[in-house]
Amino acid sequence: MVRRRHRLLRPLPLCVCLLITSVPAPTRADVRADSPAPPWTAAPVGQFGGTISAMAVDRGGRGGIVWLAQGPRVVAIDVRDPAAPAVVGRSGWLDRVVTALAVDGPAGVALTGFPSDRPDEEAIHTLDLSDPSAPRVVARLPLDGAAHAVALAGGIAYVVRETYDPQAEGNQYRNTVAAVDVRDPAAPHVVHADVVPAPFDVIDVQVVGQALVVTASEPLQPPQSAAWRKVLHVFDLADPANPAPAARIVDEAWCRLGERPGADRTGIVYGYGDGGGIVALDVSVAATPREVRRWPDASVGAWGCGKGIQPLFLVDEHGLPYLATHDAYNLKGGLLTAIGPPADAAARRPIHRLAVGPAAAALVGPHALIADDSGDVTVIDTRALAVGDGAVEVVGTLPLLGGASAIATRQDRDDGRLYAALGHGGISVLSLDRPHGRPLDPPVTGRFVDGLSRSALHVAGRWVVAGRTGLAIGQRVPFVDESEVVDATDPTAPRLRGAFRDGRFARIWTTPAGDWVVHGRSGSTGPASAPVASPLGDPPGRADVPVPLDMRLFDGATVGGRFVAVGTHPRIPATGGCSVKRLAVWALSDANTARLEGEIDLGPCDMAPKEVVVAAAGDVAYVSTVLEAPMPPGVGRSQLTIVALSGPSAPRIVAQLALSGTVTTLAVRDGYVFASGGRALDGSPSVVAVDARDPSAPAVVGSLPGTGSLAVAGGRVYVSAGQSGVWVFEPPLAWRRPRGEAWVALPWVGVHAMR
């Protein structure tokens, strides 16, 4: 068994992160008096959204509240009216994404750390949940090793965490269970570092009555063997701080654990595994566990313990088990399957199909709450599944923002909305309007959901263009890497207009005669391809228009009815030759013909094409070119070039500014340029703010901690951080639109430019 550690980008640290140097422009002016004196760093003033990674229900019977781990926060959901679930409280943001959560009465614990690439950033947090409207973090205890799961009972938290043993043969990473005393929430401390000693590799943990139940994998002999078997360990909790080994069972059913909800628990633990189906075990006497019932054919699809995406295991108040899984044959949605009722003659069990794969689940009475990867929390009445007739009723839905891979505001005007492309689950539309004095928590007002991943976004007029990624597994998904157009005329109900299967490059080109989408292949990989402008909306009868670029296209922006394209042009066509960065300005004539108006080279010849991104506003284009991009990703050098477009047939460079870090995203608003610089030399992410109100004299005026997709609206800067959701900044800038700027055109935003 080979274990791999999976780490994503960490959330936002509060630090200054890019080292900036400036290259004097030919007509460099002094920094204006109304500009803040550099350097400054604006801390976040708000955060919303994020991946939902766990749900927890109070074991003591307060069944009206379900607790969510969403991004870096703990969220309280009131489900006393299942038809109208509502958020009633949120904790402050924790230092990292919350990965696991457990609740016992008014006390709770939350694990944080993932995504992170530093093992000393894992931690357990004690929570005061006595007031659901204001959940509060009491204390934080650092953990040695990544933490994955937690159970809480009697003031002791049992944490599954990863440890490293350099003396071990073969696999040197394994999971064990640590007992953490949280009876004094202000002073948590580890009382037992390794409840299940080597060579066992812990999978899951549960407390049932006076028993601690742990599932683990055990390597078969010899130690170098790749074969493992599942083992159940039962501990007596007469002394909760020192669990005493009481029983051990070898059975493939013991992988994920579950328990019946409610205060009146029966001492029965449930286990689900690959080969053993589902088992109900009475552990009321820890030394003599007794099997009560087994469902041997409970496996669903191709998902199981140790196989890809793990199923979510639920047990209702009557002791009937359910599995919430991703759809192994569709890969875009999910299934909620009732295991208790007998299968029909075709061996099919009652199921309810989910539009998006499940991320977390809980049962409250007869209602299952399923949070999916888009952020939606759906309340399902399971009683129909329990009797096997399959007539499942969706009682209510609470739309939340999931993990945002890209965000954008409308490039042609500020419509008070934020658009978010989700890493899984589609596109969300949020309202940025808020009553005076209310905390910033934009509601999701519209959603286009299909369960697929998206990594880039562009919005203009009524159109939303996104890049989506399919999973090429056999023939299950018929497309990979496409661009799509969504009609958001009604932002509460966006609908798919069409898709382009010739690559994931797509930009909206707005002209007085109508809107177009420029699409085609691009980037540093694969051959260059001349893009095509396809008409959007009315009038009917317009045909596609070729845009015959002579360069490898990286990015594009629309401004003043023109399309500004940037890419690389081969200076020496022979293999191994160099290329130059180039900007081209295109116009669309009344004859629906794309016409090259002007172009300019942006720098010397380069042996390897690198990232080039562009933003445009008024009669100015802002181009960032990566000069050096060594490993790790983000460390390197970039250059911001400001190009005057007042004479489109003769664009000219008016200033340049050198930046440290590999800039992959630009946003422009009111003469300020915001550049997302990836990871800088110190390994920290950052967004740099440049004052370019005088285009001939750009100056770095500050930075924002964080990296990702950018959007600017109403004097605020929004930065997406994937699983951490969206962070909000209010930098100390003089937000006055420069003279002559008719409207602002944001660039194609996204951590990964569409290729």
Side-chain angles (χ1 to χ4, degrees):
M1 177 177 177
V2 178
R3 293 178 52 81
R4 295 179 175 88
R5 304 188 71 182
H6 299 281
R7 301 285 188 172
L8 302 179
L9 292 179
R10 74 183 71 173
L12 307 176
L14 303 181
C15 60
V16 179
C17 307
L18 280 184
L19 303 177
I20 311 297
T21 59
S22 61
V23 176
T27 58
R28 179 68 183 262
D30 292 334
V31 177
R32 286 167 292 278
D34 58 351
S35 295
W40 52 259
T41 299
V45 298
Q47 181 277 336
F48 56 88
T51 298
I52 297 176
S53 57
M55 285 189 185
V57 178
D58 176 22
R59 295 163 52 93
R62 293 192 304 170
I65 300 295
V66 174
W67 299 91
L68 305 184
Q70 184 185 24
R73 295 182 187 263
V74 175
V75 181
I77 306 294
D78 189 338
V79 293
R80 285 173 291 186
D81 180 0
V87 173
V88 294
R90 285 183 167 90
S91 71
W93 59 74
L94 282 68
D95 55 355
R96 293 291 178 266
V97 170
V98 179
T99 60
L101 188 63
V103 177
D104 189 14
V109 293
L111 303 181
T112 62
F114 181 86
S116 172
D117 55 9
R118 293 179 55 189
D120 59 344
E121 290 179 342
E122 269 70 29
I124 183 171
H125 301 253
T126 55
L127 308 171
D128 179 358
L129 307 178
S130 55
D131 180 2
S133 67
R136 184 172 61 91
V137 176
V138 179
R140 176 185 185 274
L141 174 68
L143 294 176
D144 180 15
H148 306 293
V150 62
L152 174 64
I156 304 295
Y158 303 95
V159 180
V160 178
R161 61 174 180 170
E162 188 176 67
T163 58
Y164 175 70
D165 182 3
Q167 305 302 320
E169 297 186 31
N171 178 34
Q172 294 179 324
Y173 288 97
R174 72 179 186 90
N175 291 335
T176 187
V177 177
V180 181
D181 191 333
V182 296
R183 285 173 288 193
D184 179 359
H189 58 281
V190 176
V191 292
H192 202 309
D194 196 351
V195 174
V196 183
F200 296 100
D201 191 22
V202 172
I203 302 169
D204 204 359
V205 62
Q206 182 69 270
V207 175
V208 181
Q210 294 300 307
L212 172 67
V213 183
V214 179
T215 55
S217 293
E218 177 187 25
L220 299 178
Q221 299 299 324
Q224 294 80 11
S225 171
W228 293 68
R229 63 183 179 184
K230 304 298 187 300
V231 181
L232 175 75
H233 299 267
V234 182
F235 297 84
D236 190 323
L237 292 182
D239 179 1
N242 293 284
R248 177 174 175 269
I249 299 173
V250 177
D251 192 325
E252 289 301 310
W254 295 112
C255 180
R256 298 294 166 183
L257 297 172
E259 183 194 17
R260 288 172 59 175
D264 184 18
R265 296 181 294 276
T266 60
I268 297 178
V269 67
Y270 296 77
Y272 167 74
D274 289 337
I278 292 177
V279 175
L281 190 73
D282 187 341
V283 293
S284 53
V285 180
T288 57
R290 178 177 59 88
E291 185 173 313
V292 176
R293 185 173 178 183
R294 183 180 292 258
W295 295 266
D297 58 342
S299 296
V300 177
W303 312 117
C305 187
K307 293 181 180 178
I309 302 173
Q310 302 293 334
L312 304 175
F313 184 33
L314 301 171
V315 181
D316 72 11
E317 57 189 351
H318 304 293
L320 296 179
Y322 298 78
L323 290 175
T325 70
H326 285 68
D327 188 342
Y329 301 100
N330 183 17
L331 294 181
K332 294 195 298 181
L335 308 171
L336 176 63
T337 305
I339 305 301
D344 64 15
R348 293 175 300 192
R349 293 192 175 276
I351 64 171
H352 171 68
R353 294 195 174 274
L354 307 169
V356 184
L363 277 165
V364 179
H367 297 108
L369 278 75
I370 308 292
D372 61 42
D373 287 327
S374 73
D376 275 350
V377 178
T378 303
V379 182
I380 301 170
D381 191 328
T382 63
R383 284 172 289 196
L385 279 177
V387 298
D389 64 10
V392 176
E393 180 184 0
V394 175
V395 178
T397 302
L398 175 63
L400 301 175
L401 178 66
S405 56
I407 57 175
T409 50
R410 272 185 58 172
Q411 67 177 29
D412 49 342
R413 67 179 181 87
D414 188 350
D415 62 357
R417 297 185 179 93
L418 180 72
Y419 300 80
L422 308 179
H424 300 283
I427 296 171
S428 293
V429 183
L430 296 87
S431 174
L432 295 179
D433 297 332
R434 59 170 174 164
H436 180 71
R438 296 280 292 276
L440 180 63
D441 182 21
V444 176
T445 58
R447 181 102 78 194
F448 168 71
V449 173
D450 64 1
L452 294 173
S453 299
R454 286 164 176 82
S455 61
L457 194 66
H458 192 58
V459 184
R462 69 194 233 201
W463 307 107
V464 179
V465 175
R468 65 187 183 190
T469 304
L471 299 176
I473 301 179
Q475 301 300 316
R476 297 174 184 170
V477 178
F479 52 83
V480 177
D481 293 353
E482 295 182 341
S483 55
E484 68 184 357
V485 179
V486 173
D487 187 343
T489 303
D490 179 1
T492 65
R495 58 186 180 88
L496 182 65
R497 176 66 178 263
F500 302 103
R501 291 182 168 86
D502 55 357
R504 288 173 56 218
F505 178 91
R507 306 293 187 272
I508 300 174
W509 185 349
T510 60
T511 72
D515 298 329
W516 303 72
V517 57
V518 180
H519 57 96
R521 289 181 295 174
S522 68
S524 59
T525 59
S529 175
V532 171
S534 296
L536 296 172
D538 299 323
R542 293 184 296 167
D544 290 347
V545 175
V547 184
L549 293 175
D550 63 349
M551 62 183 177
R552 179 166 291 162
L553 188 60
F554 275 75
D555 198 9
T558 181
V559 60
R562 296 181 173 87
F563 184 70
V564 181
V566 293
T568 59
H569 176 74
R571 178 64 57 82
I572 304 174
T575 302
C578 64
S579 61
V580 295
K581 310 294 190 303
R582 176 167 291 182
L583 177 145
V585 182
W586 289 80
L588 200 63
S589 69
D590 294 337
N592 287 349
T593 301
R595 176 172 54 86
L596 178 64
E597 288 195 322
E599 58 185 5
I600 187 173
D601 289 344
L602 302 176
C605 196
D606 192 350
M607 292 303 296
K610 298 182 179 68
E611 195 78 36
V612 189
V613 292
V614 62
D619 56 2
V620 179
Y622 307 87
V623 184
S624 176
T625 60
V626 174
L627 304 178
E628 183 182 0
M631 296 299 289
V635 175
R637 297 182 299 115
S638 299
Q639 181 171 265
L640 179 67
T641 301
I642 300 180
V643 181
L645 304 176
S646 52
S649 62
R652 60 188 179 88
I653 297 174
V654 297
Q656 291 182 318
L657 192 68
L659 308 176
S660 176
T662 48
V663 173
T664 58
T665 305
L666 292 177
V668 178
R669 181 71 67 172
D670 297 353
Y672 294 102
V673 182
F674 299 91
S676 180
R679 290 176 180 267
L681 296 177
D682 63 353
S684 300
S686 181
V687 174
V688 65
V690 176
D691 185 346
R693 289 175 294 173
D694 177 357
S696 66
V700 173
V701 292
S703 66
L704 315 174
T707 186
S709 175
L710 303 176
V712 189
R716 298 188 184 95
V717 180
Y718 301 86
V719 183
S720 70
Q723 292 196 6
S724 294
V726 178
W727 295 81
V728 187
F729 299 88
E730 294 180 351
L733 299 174
W735 296 95
R736 293 194 299 271
R737 179 167 294 179
R739 186 175 61 184
E741 183 176 313
W743 51 272
V744 175
L746 289 182
W748 184 265
V749 298
V751 178
H752 305 290
M754 298 185 78
R755 294 281 190 246

